[in-house]
Amino acid sequence: MSYLIIPKYVLDDINRFIHENYHYSLPHSLIIAQAFCLRFKNYGNEFGVSEITDAVEYVRNHQQKMRVVNLNKKMFDP
């Protein structure tokens, strides 16, 4: 993971893009990042595919952690 700071609004756009376009199985993060950069050319130009790929990985990992937390919460809530 690189040290360039991706703004939260870009991470939110990546999250929204993933939810709108990939419903069941997610392809490799690089494929998602390339598609994202084609859709949002200004982000691709500003950050580059490499940085967007890292951001996609971050968003995917964060989503998985949130699913585990939500599942645990549902299991223990009365």
Side-chain angles (χ1 to χ4, degrees):
M1 183 83 134
S2 64
Y3 294 101
L4 179 69
I5 296 175
I6 303 289
K8 183 171 178 355
Y9 65 89
V10 177
L11 296 175
D12 292 340
D13 287 343
I14 290 171
N15 191 27
R16 192 173 311 110
F17 179 80
I18 290 172
H19 282 294
E20 290 173 357
N21 295 291
Y22 303 102
H23 302 288
Y24 298 107
S25 63
L26 292 176
H28 191 276
S29 296
L30 178 59
I31 294 171
I32 296 171
Q34 289 171 335
F36 181 81
C37 287
L38 286 173
R39 171 86 55 90
F40 298 96
K41 290 181 176 30
N42 54 339
Y43 292 156
N45 291 335
E46 185 174 350
F47 300 107
V49 175
S50 177
E51 298 298 328
I52 297 296
T53 302
D54 290 343
V56 168
E57 283 289 327
Y58 173 81
V59 168
R60 288 176 70 173
N61 290 337
H62 183 70
Q63 287 174 348
Q64 289 174 352
K65 288 177 185 174
M66 291 305 294
R67 273 190 224 123
V68 170
V69 168
N70 288 338
L71 286 175
N72 288 339
K73 186 176 180 184
K74 288 179 186 177
M75 290 174 56
F76 295 114
D77 280 348

